[in-house]
PDB file of all heavy atoms in Angstrom:
ATOM      1  N   ARG A 100     164.911 -37.009 122.040  1.00  0.00           N
ATOM      2  CA  ARG A 100     164.100 -36.564 123.198  1.00  0.00           C
ATOM      3  C   ARG A 100     163.447 -37.761 123.876  1.00  0.00           C
ATOM      4  O   ARG A 100     163.332 -37.797 125.112  1.00  0.00           O
ATOM      5  CB  ARG A 100     163.014 -35.589 122.705  1.00  0.00           C
ATOM      6  CG  ARG A 100     163.522 -34.253 122.268  1.00  0.00           C
ATOM      7  CD  ARG A 100     164.103 -33.433 123.459  1.00  0.00           C
ATOM      8  NE  ARG A 100     163.188 -33.393 124.568  1.00  0.00           N
ATOM      9  CZ  ARG A 100     162.202 -32.504 124.682  1.00  0.00           C
ATOM     10  NH1 ARG A 100     162.012 -31.600 123.693  1.00  0.00           N
ATOM     11  NH2 ARG A 100     161.386 -32.509 125.720  1.00  0.00           N
ATOM     12  N   ALA A 101     163.034 -38.760 123.075  1.00  0.00           N
ATOM     13  CA  ALA A 101     162.388 -39.970 123.645  1.00  0.00           C
ATOM     14  C   ALA A 101     163.391 -40.752 124.479  1.00  0.00           C
ATOM     15  O   ALA A 101     163.045 -41.249 125.562  1.00  0.00           O
ATOM     16  CB  ALA A 101     161.790 -40.817 122.525  1.00  0.00           C
ATOM     17  N   ILE A 102     164.616 -40.915 123.978  1.00  0.00           N
ATOM     18  CA  ILE A 102     165.646 -41.616 124.744  1.00  0.00           C
ATOM     19  C   ILE A 102     166.002 -40.878 125.999  1.00  0.00           C
ATOM     20  O   ILE A 102     166.222 -41.480 127.057  1.00  0.00           O
ATOM     21  CB  ILE A 102     166.895 -41.812 123.864  1.00  0.00           C
ATOM     22  CG1 ILE A 102     166.572 -42.658 122.627  1.00  0.00           C
ATOM     23  CG2 ILE A 102     168.023 -42.472 124.658  1.00  0.00           C
ATOM     24  CD1 ILE A 102     167.712 -42.752 121.635  1.00  0.00           C
ATOM     25  N   GLU A 103     166.034 -39.571 125.929  1.00  0.00           N
ATOM     26  CA  GLU A 103     166.337 -38.749 127.126  1.00  0.00           C
ATOM     27  C   GLU A 103     165.279 -38.955 128.218  1.00  0.00           C
ATOM     28  O   GLU A 103     165.594 -39.151 129.380  1.00  0.00           O
ATOM     29  CB  GLU A 103     166.430 -37.282 126.736  1.00  0.00           C
ATOM     30  CG  GLU A 103     166.772 -36.373 127.913  1.00  0.00           C
ATOM     31  CD  GLU A 103     166.871 -34.914 127.527  1.00  0.00           C
ATOM     32  OE1 GLU A 103     166.586 -34.588 126.328  1.00  0.00           O
ATOM     33  OE2 GLU A 103     167.148 -34.092 128.409  1.00  0.00           O
ATOM     34  N   LYS A 104     164.027 -38.930 127.797  1.00  0.00           N
ATOM     35  CA  LYS A 104     162.953 -39.139 128.776  1.00  0.00           C
ATOM     36  C   LYS A 104     162.974 -40.550 129.343  1.00  0.00           C
ATOM     37  O   LYS A 104     162.753 -40.744 130.556  1.00  0.00           O
ATOM     38  CB  LYS A 104     161.576 -38.883 128.081  1.00  0.00           C
ATOM     39  CG  LYS A 104     161.358 -37.399 127.715  1.00  0.00           C
ATOM     40  CD  LYS A 104     160.005 -37.207 127.057  1.00  0.00           C
ATOM     41  CE  LYS A 104     159.791 -35.747 126.674  1.00  0.00           C
ATOM     42  NZ  LYS A 104     158.483 -35.541 125.988  1.00  0.00           N
ATOM     43  N   PHE A 105     163.253 -41.515 128.485  1.00  0.00           N
ATOM     44  CA  PHE A 105     163.345 -42.890 128.943  1.00  0.00           C
ATOM     45  C   PHE A 105     164.491 -43.075 129.920  1.00  0.00           C
ATOM     46  O   PHE A 105     164.329 -43.755 130.955  1.00  0.00           O
ATOM     47  CB  PHE A 105     163.549 -43.826 127.724  1.00  0.00           C
ATOM     48  CG  PHE A 105     163.608 -45.287 128.067  1.00  0.00           C
ATOM     49  CD1 PHE A 105     162.440 -46.038 128.206  1.00  0.00           C
ATOM     50  CD2 PHE A 105     164.836 -45.915 128.259  1.00  0.00           C
ATOM     51  CE1 PHE A 105     162.495 -47.391 128.521  1.00  0.00           C
ATOM     52  CE2 PHE A 105     164.905 -47.254 128.592  1.00  0.00           C
ATOM     53  CZ  PHE A 105     163.703 -48.022 128.731  1.00  0.00           C
ATOM     54  N   SER A 106     165.647 -42.489 129.623  1.00  0.00           N
ATOM     55  CA  SER A 106     166.813 -42.590 130.519  1.00  0.00           C
ATOM     56  C   SER A 106     166.527 -41.937 131.852  1.00  0.00           C
ATOM     57  O   SER A 106     166.953 -42.457 132.904  1.00  0.00           O
ATOM     58  CB  SER A 106     168.030 -41.930 129.843  1.00  0.00           C
ATOM     59  OG  SER A 106     168.310 -42.537 128.605  1.00  0.00           O
ATOM     60  N   LYS A 107     165.872 -40.817 131.834  1.00  0.00           N
ATOM     61  CA  LYS A 107     165.546 -40.111 133.080  1.00  0.00           C
ATOM     62  C   LYS A 107     164.605 -40.907 133.959  1.00  0.00           C
ATOM     63  O   LYS A 107     164.771 -41.001 135.176  1.00  0.00           O
ATOM     64  CB  LYS A 107     164.955 -38.730 132.759  1.00  0.00           C
ATOM     65  CG  LYS A 107     164.750 -37.854 133.987  1.00  0.00           C
ATOM     66  CD  LYS A 107     164.251 -36.476 133.559  1.00  0.00           C
ATOM     67  CE  LYS A 107     164.131 -35.581 134.791  1.00  0.00           C
ATOM     68  NZ  LYS A 107     163.660 -34.191 134.374  1.00  0.00           N
ATOM     69  N   LYS A 108     163.609 -41.546 133.293  1.00  0.00           N
ATOM     70  CA  LYS A 108     162.628 -42.299 134.055  1.00  0.00           C
ATOM     71  C   LYS A 108     163.226 -43.552 134.678  1.00  0.00           C
ATOM     72  O   LYS A 108     162.836 -44.011 135.754  1.00  0.00           O
ATOM     73  CB  LYS A 108     161.468 -42.689 133.113  1.00  0.00           C
ATOM     74  CG  LYS A 108     160.350 -43.453 133.833  1.00  0.00           C
ATOM     75  CD  LYS A 108     159.177 -43.687 132.881  1.00  0.00           C
ATOM     76  CE  LYS A 108     158.044 -44.420 133.596  1.00  0.00           C
ATOM     77  NZ  LYS A 108     156.872 -44.692 132.694  1.00  0.00           N
ATOM     78  N   HIS A 109     164.209 -44.158 134.001  1.00  0.00           N
ATOM     79  CA  HIS A 109     164.806 -45.401 134.447  1.00  0.00           C
ATOM     80  C   HIS A 109     166.208 -45.259 135.035  1.00  0.00           C
ATOM     81  O   HIS A 109     166.989 -46.216 135.118  1.00  0.00           O
ATOM     82  CB  HIS A 109     164.857 -46.411 133.296  1.00  0.00           C
ATOM     83  CG  HIS A 109     163.504 -46.806 132.793  1.00  0.00           C
ATOM     84  ND1 HIS A 109     162.715 -47.790 133.387  1.00  0.00           N
ATOM     85  CD2 HIS A 109     162.740 -46.342 131.742  1.00  0.00           C
ATOM     86  CE1 HIS A 109     161.572 -47.925 132.739  1.00  0.00           C
ATOM     87  NE2 HIS A 109     161.575 -47.046 131.735  1.00  0.00           N
ATOM     88  N   ALA A 110     166.542 -44.025 135.436  1.00  0.00           N
ATOM     89  CA  ALA A 110     167.879 -43.769 135.974  1.00  0.00           C
ATOM     90  C   ALA A 110     168.097 -44.500 137.296  1.00  0.00           C
ATOM     91  O   ALA A 110     169.232 -44.858 137.638  1.00  0.00           O
ATOM     92  CB  ALA A 110     168.096 -42.273 136.182  1.00  0.00           C
ATOM     93  N   SER A 111     167.032 -44.734 138.044  1.00  0.00           N
ATOM     94  CA  SER A 111     167.147 -45.447 139.321  1.00  0.00           C
ATOM     95  C   SER A 111     166.805 -46.912 139.220  1.00  0.00           C
ATOM     96  O   SER A 111     166.774 -47.613 140.231  1.00  0.00           O
ATOM     97  CB  SER A 111     166.262 -44.766 140.362  1.00  0.00           C
ATOM     98  OG  SER A 111     164.924 -44.731 139.952  1.00  0.00           O
ATOM     99  N   ASN A 112     166.493 -47.358 138.010  1.00  0.00           N
ATOM    100  CA  ASN A 112     166.151 -48.770 137.808  1.00  0.00           C
ATOM    101  C   ASN A 112     167.424 -49.616 137.873  1.00  0.00           C
ATOM    102  O   ASN A 112     168.435 -49.289 137.235  1.00  0.00           O
ATOM    103  CB  ASN A 112     165.443 -48.939 136.447  1.00  0.00           C
ATOM    104  CG  ASN A 112     164.781 -50.288 136.277  1.00  0.00           C
ATOM    105  OD1 ASN A 112     165.295 -51.304 136.777  1.00  0.00           O
ATOM    106  ND2 ASN A 112     163.655 -50.308 135.593  1.00  0.00           N
ATOM    107  N   LYS A 113     167.408 -50.710 138.578  1.00  0.00           N
ATOM    108  CA  LYS A 113     168.589 -51.539 138.725  1.00  0.00           C
ATOM    109  C   LYS A 113     168.783 -52.491 137.547  1.00  0.00           C
ATOM    110  O   LYS A 113     169.799 -53.208 137.478  1.00  0.00           O
ATOM    111  CB  LYS A 113     168.490 -52.360 140.013  1.00  0.00           C
ATOM    112  CG  LYS A 113     168.502 -51.493 141.281  1.00  0.00           C
ATOM    113  CD  LYS A 113     168.478 -52.345 142.532  1.00  0.00           C
ATOM    114  CE  LYS A 113     168.504 -51.479 143.773  1.00  0.00           C
ATOM    115  NZ  LYS A 113     168.473 -52.296 145.016  1.00  0.00           N
ATOM    116  N   ASP A 114     167.858 -52.519 136.594  1.00  0.00           N
ATOM    117  CA  ASP A 114     167.964 -53.386 135.445  1.00  0.00           C
ATOM    118  C   ASP A 114     168.955 -52.791 134.456  1.00  0.00           C
ATOM    119  O   ASP A 114     168.655 -51.828 133.744  1.00  0.00           O
ATOM    120  CB  ASP A 114     166.610 -53.554 134.784  1.00  0.00           C
ATOM    121  CG  ASP A 114     166.595 -54.604 133.681  1.00  0.00           C
ATOM    122  OD1 ASP A 114     167.679 -55.147 133.364  1.00  0.00           O
ATOM    123  OD2 ASP A 114     165.506 -54.879 133.108  1.00  0.00           O
TER     124      ASP A 114
END
Side-chain angles (χ1 to χ4, degrees):
R100 290 294 308 276
I102 298 173
E103 181 181 2
K104 292 179 181 179
F105 181 85
S106 302
K107 186 175 183 179
K108 183 176 181 180
H109 296 277
S111 58
N112 194 324
K113 295 182 180 180
D114 187 356

